[in-house]
Amino acid sequence: MRISNYLAWDNLAITTGTFATDPIDLSQYFGCAIQLVWSGNAAGNFTVEVSSDHQSPTNWDFLDGSTVGAGGVSGSNTYNIYNPMYNFARIKFVGTSGASTVSATVNKKGF
């Protein structure tokens, strides 16, 4: 089994505005878990966006049901993506107030 595990964000400072991970290539994987851990008082929403673009993703769509709120307190969340039929995913954060740091660990599995 092929496993890929890496940090997409390593204590990234987030505030108001929009932040997104680099594209996570899922084209050769049957599953992916992305664990977010944030500390501080940022308020905003984390979401997963996906793309079926062939090589360099430029068209991103919101993955239904993926919104997780950071309500001004520290927290964590894990997304599990099973059998993706799209080529890429990314985590997006839209901050409305406050400041935090966030780490995003990506664990992909394939054959």
Side-chain angles (χ1 to χ4, degrees):
M1 179 180 296
R2 182 178 51 191
I3 297 174
S4 174
N5 186 280
Y6 65 94
L7 282 170
W9 282 332
D10 186 8
N11 287 316
L12 175 73
I14 54 175
T15 57
T16 58
T18 301
F19 303 84
T21 64
D22 289 337
I24 300 165
D25 186 352
L26 299 175
S27 60
Q28 300 293 316
Y29 294 88
F30 61 77
C32 175
I34 306 166
Q35 182 182 34
L36 302 175
V37 179
W38 64 93
S39 61
N41 65 355
N45 289 317
F46 292 99
T47 58
V48 175
E49 291 184 325
V50 299
S51 175
S52 290
D53 290 346
H54 180 62
Q55 291 182 353
S56 298
T58 55
N59 301 296
W60 293 99
D61 293 309
F62 169 74
L63 186 63
D64 289 340
S66 68
T67 301
V68 172
V73 296
S74 298
S76 64
N77 185 69
T78 298
Y79 294 103
N80 278 308
I81 299 172
Y82 302 104
N83 296 320
M85 295 295 119
Y86 34 81
N87 291 323
F88 298 94
R90 71 179 181 183
I91 301 296
K92 184 176 177 180
F93 177 76
V94 178
T96 56
S97 67
S100 293
T101 60
V102 61
S103 292
T105 303
V106 176
N107 188 38
K108 304 185 294 185
K109 294 183 180 178
F111 293 111

